[in-house]
Amino acid sequence: MHGHSPDFIIGRIRWRAAKHGLPTSRTGFWEDSPDWLQADFPANFVNPVLYSVSDCGEMATVIGTEEIMTPGYDDGVRIAIDEMDRISSPCIGTKRKVDFDALAVVTKDLVEHLLPVESGKGCFAVWNILLTLGRMQR
């Protein structure tokens, strides 16, 4: 993210996470992430800060200072934070807000990627963190 140091971005993610009551049972800080998630995580992913594991426990989203990744899901999607255009949820109109368990990120080239996250509180925390990061790039 141009114009911001990694330490500043980490601080903003942690600040926003605290505002939304993180950590929860499946969403928290990278240093506390499950071993299975860290095991095969790519070394070239810069500064992972936060993770959120889906309720089924098999998919996850990781937020770093430069990008977002869903390892092993949807062919291991990686999205540069600077490329995010819009964030929403594919669950709108189909589920109660407390049951939202995925986010949709549309990139500047109009490609939509689904991010699996913990339902409820974890989903809204990740959503708000991504909104904060998106505002920082403008």
Side-chain angles (χ1 to χ4, degrees):
M1 293 203 9
H2 305 296
H4 299 290
S5 72
D7 288 338
F8 179 80
I9 297 167
I10 291 167
R12 295 304 288 180
I13 293 170
R14 288 182 170 276
W15 170 77
R16 185 49 98 182
K19 290 276 189 188
H20 286 279
L22 294 184
T24 63
S25 62
R26 294 185 177 273
T27 303
F29 300 108
W30 180 249
E31 60 269 16
D32 301 320
S33 65
D35 292 340
W36 65 265
L37 185 55
Q38 292 186 19
D40 292 321
F41 205 74
N44 65 351
F45 188 93
V46 179
N47 297 322
V49 181
L50 190 100
Y51 74 95
S52 186
V53 175
S54 65
D55 293 345
C56 70
E58 297 174 2
M59 300 174 290
T61 295
V62 178
I63 300 172
T65 59
E66 299 288 329
E67 62 185 321
I68 307 157
M69 182 176 186
T70 58
Y73 176 71
D74 200 14
D75 294 325
V77 168
R78 291 175 84 155
I79 306 164
I81 291 172
D82 290 339
E83 290 301 311
M84 289 190 314
D85 185 51
R86 293 186 312 270
I87 303 155
S88 185
S89 177
C91 304
I92 294 173
T94 63
K95 294 182 178 184
R96 298 176 313 145
K97 284 184 179 182
V98 72
D99 296 325
F100 284 13
D101 59 358
L103 295 173
V105 172
V106 178
T107 59
K108 291 177 181 174
D109 58 356
L110 303 178
V111 176
E112 181 179 80
H113 300 281
L114 295 180
L115 307 178
V117 293
E118 175 186 26
S119 65
K121 190 176 192 174
C123 178
F124 286 100
V126 171
W127 194 339
N128 279 282
I129 289 165
L130 293 177
L131 287 172
T132 297
L133 295 174
R135 284 186 211 113
M136 287 172 58
Q137 71 185 350
R138 295 186 186 122

